[in-house]
Structure formats: structure tokens, C-alpha cells
Amino acid sequence: MVPLNDNNPTQRTAYVTYGLIIVNILVFFKEISLNSEELSQFFQYYAIVPKQLTAGFSGVDFYHPIPEWMT
């Protein structure tokens, strides 16, 4: 059974959690506003591809263009 409430109230506001939720919502709306070509480019710039990530651990260098605003 999933608990719906508890008797242990928190004393602090979860700003980081709220911030992450807002960022995820903004990224979602950005993704649905893109056409298929732009979405593919968006994923190429910002997504983590497991093959590239694990190859990076073994020293293999994949070409990954850095967006202009990050330089």
C-alpha cells in the first residue's frame, strides 16, 4: 500500500526538488516544440548515449560537438 501521508512533517522547503521538476518540465516543452530534425540535433547535443559513455571510460574519444553557448 502506498502511503498517502505521514506523521513526520518536514521543516524545510525542497527547493532543489522543485527546481529539478521545473527544469524537466521546461525541457519537455522545448522537445515537443521541435520538429523531427531539430529534435534529433537536440538529442545529439544533450542526450547521454550509453555506448559513448562507456567508451569514454575505456579511453575511446567520440566526436561530440559542443554547443556554441557552452564555449
Side-chain angles (χ1 to χ4, degrees):
M1 177 174 229
V2 177
L4 300 177
N5 59 16
D6 61 8
N7 294 329
N8 187 13
T10 59
Q11 301 296 322
R12 297 180 288 172
T13 305
Y15 293 114
V16 174
T17 303
Y18 294 147
L20 289 171
I21 291 169
I22 290 169
V23 167
N24 278 294
I25 291 170
L26 293 174
V27 169
F28 173 74
F29 283 124
K30 173 68 175 174
E31 287 179 9
I32 63 173
S33 71
L34 301 174
N35 64 33
S36 63
E37 185 177 320
E38 292 170 334
L39 185 62
S40 177
Q41 187 178 20
F42 181 82
F43 286 150
Q44 186 155 23
Y45 280 139
Y46 301 109
I48 295 175
V49 179
K51 180 180 179 182
Q52 293 175 355
L53 179 65
T54 55
F57 294 149
S58 63
V60 177
D61 187 28
F62 274 92
Y63 171 73
H64 186 71
I66 298 173
E68 186 176 322
W69 64 271
M70 292 180 78
T71 58

